[in-house]
Amino acid sequence: MDTYAEIHKNVMAHRIPAESLGDIFARGLVVDSIAALKALDTTYLSRVFVLNFYASGSGGGGAFVFNSGSSATDNGGTVIAPDVGSGRWIRVVGNIISVKDFGAVLDGTTNNRTVVINALSVGGVVEIPEGTCAVEIDSNPLFTPGANTTIRGQGPTSVLRFNMTDSSSRTLFKISNSNVRFENLKIEINTSVAGGTIVIFEVSAGGLVLNNVEVDGAVTGDSGSSHLCHVLKCHNTTSWNKLRVNNCHWHDVTRCWLRENTATSAIKDIAVSFSTFERSEASMWAFNAPAGSITGVRFLGNTFEDPYINSVQPDSFCIGPQATDVTIIGNVFRGDGRDCIHIEEAAKNITIQGNTISMDLTGSAIFVLDNSVGAGAIPDRVTITGNVIKRTDEDQATGIGIELVNDGGDPPIDSITIGDNVIMGWGVGIKSGAEAHDLLSIHHNVIDKCGKGLESVYGCPGFKDNLLANCTTGIDT
């Protein structure tokens, strides 16, 4: 073994200060493993450098200082009890610890659950090195990171693999402390068990950041043998502010976001950007809050690819009751299914701008609906501008580009602007319901190659300067 190479690797991994390292070499010795450290006679030793956690190598070594007065709990990584006598060996750490410091074996099969728990209990920056860190899903919740904890990988080859061994419902990470970050790693569910529900992140505290995180939920769809996997689930009663999702890739899941209709919590400030979401078993993102509220949702530059696993064909994006100030800008939607963007009752201040929807749908690309949750519960101040809304097969017989429906006898859907869109290939380009819609403005749209350009557009004082081309029927009143 190259002793100096091992020392250099550990020094760099832990950002050990040079003065601490020099002191250790001047007054201590080097051993090959944590087991060897525990076996030392501490009578005359106070500083030791450990090459690796295990004598066989694989990392996890570092510098230790003996504290004869300490009785701290041995956590297997940063606090080590000697085999004989009192006192503790305390690891000298910089700003990063690794799960290897606690004995993780990244072979894809060894159960590292206790190791990860111990590493997270220290907090700070916890690194998942290259390799597959397997964890048995055998408790609920599995992990609860402390406030200001960062779990960081080294890219897609840093894998947290969760092995599902029964059909129980489990939460993997309970986010009940603020400002927790996950970045540069992959989370995958591994199971051959039928049934069961996995929630990867249950959120009841603000400041969660997911950056460059891939999630493979291993959901297979209609066969009936699959489990359920929700990436994010809101706690029903605890309110919180701020969620950031950036440059992520989530696929083969049940939902990216789950919020139960009975939830009373108030959620604010959600930003999702430059991420890819593909293959889900239910609506990918469903912001429903009939008993609470969701305010300040921003989606920028994301891709929704082949969004449907099974024949149910849910919406890619559902903006539901009590969702306010929602912005969907510059996203790309591709694939097939029922509806793409679904805006429901009591949603207010909704902006859908500059998106590309290229899909074959049985329903509508953008669907604005009053579902009659309660009197006056209607969508309000909806702006749909500058989008390209294209049916991929251009069959001119199926689906609707933009549809407005009031089916509950409530007042008309209020204050809607539909402008500067390109709508192509649908059975109907723009369709309104059987009731007039106040302050409805349809202007400067290009509607091309549709079976009907416009259908049942009532009460539209702002209808002007639209171009209808190559439609079988231009306007059907």
Side-chain angles (χ1 to χ4, degrees), residues 94-173:
N95 57 357
I96 298 175
I97 60 172
S98 169
V99 291
K100 282 192 172 183
D101 297 342
F102 295 79
V105 179
L106 307 184
D107 59 2
T109 57
T110 300
N111 182 11
N112 294 289
R113 176 178 172 269
T114 300
V115 166
V116 176
I117 288 175
N118 289 341
L120 291 180
S121 70
V122 175
V125 179
V126 179
E127 185 180 68
I128 311 294
E130 290 186 352
T132 300
C133 182
V135 175
E136 296 289 333
I137 304 175
D138 56 5
S139 65
N140 191 38
L142 205 59
F143 305 122
T144 305
N148 305 306
T149 296
T150 296
I151 300 172
R152 177 188 298 166
Q154 297 178 348
T157 56
S158 293
V159 180
L160 274 173
R161 174 182 293 166
F162 292 94
N163 295 319
M164 189 174 178
T165 58
D166 59 36
S167 59
S168 300
S169 295
R170 307 289 195 193
T171 295
L172 303 187
F173 293 96

Side-chain angles (χ1 to χ4, degrees), residues 36 44 62 137 233 269 348 413 423:
Y44 302 107
I137 304 175
K233 180 181 185 296
D269 190 8
K348 298 182 185 297
I413 300 173
I423 304 171

Side-chain angles (χ1 to χ4, degrees), residues 6-55:
E6 292 293 328
I7 292 172
H8 179 265
K9 181 170 63 177
N10 281 288
V11 168
M12 296 304 296
H14 294 90
R15 309 292 195 269
I16 298 172
E19 59 272 18
S20 298
L21 186 64
D23 189 44
I24 287 167
F25 283 144
R27 302 169 63 183
L29 81 163
V30 176
V31 297
D32 64 0
S33 67
I34 295 295
L37 175 71
K38 291 172 68 68
L40 289 175
D41 182 346
T42 60
T43 305
Y44 302 107
L45 289 172
S46 60
R47 288 158 172 77
V48 172
F49 198 94
V50 179
L51 295 179
N52 292 284
F53 192 94
Y54 301 106

Side-chain angles (χ1 to χ4, degrees), residues 286-341:
F287 293 102
N288 299 321
S293 65
I294 298 176
T295 305
V297 177
R298 302 178 300 282
F299 273 68
L300 173 65
N302 303 286
T303 298
F304 295 77
E305 188 82 48
D306 294 327
Y308 313 108
I309 289 176
N310 63 20
S311 60
V312 174
Q313 296 183 341
D315 317 311
S316 297
F317 205 108
C318 182
I319 305 168
Q322 311 303 330
T324 304
D325 299 330
V326 178
T327 303
I328 306 173
I329 295 179
N331 302 279
V332 175
F333 299 83
R334 291 191 288 256
D336 57 16
R338 186 183 63 190
D339 302 325
C340 180
I341 300 175

Side-chain angles (χ1 to χ4, degrees), residues 45-82:
L45 289 172
S46 60
R47 288 158 172 77
V48 172
F49 198 94
V50 179
L51 295 179
N52 292 284
F53 192 94
Y54 301 106
S56 57
S58 79
F64 287 82
V65 175
F66 190 72
N67 184 336
S68 61
S70 175
S71 58
T73 301
D74 185 337
N75 63 15
T78 57
V79 180
I80 304 295

Side-chain angles (χ1 to χ4, degrees), residues 378-444:
I378 57 175
D380 189 17
R381 297 187 293 278
V382 178
T383 301
I384 304 170
T385 58
N387 303 283
V388 176
I389 305 170
K390 180 179 179 181
R391 184 173 177 88
T392 308
D393 64 9
E394 296 186 356
D395 77 348
Q396 302 184 41
T398 309
I400 301 169
I402 300 174
E403 183 175 13
L404 314 177
V405 174
N406 185 333
D407 66 354
D410 282 328
I413 300 173
D414 220 357
S415 186
I416 299 178
T417 299
I418 302 173
D420 300 295
N421 301 287
V422 176
I423 304 171
M424 299 178 62
W426 300 93
V428 181
I430 300 175
K431 180 179 179 179
S432 176
E435 299 184 29
H437 300 297
D438 293 348
L439 305 178
L440 172 59
S441 175
I442 302 176
H443 64 86
H444 297 97

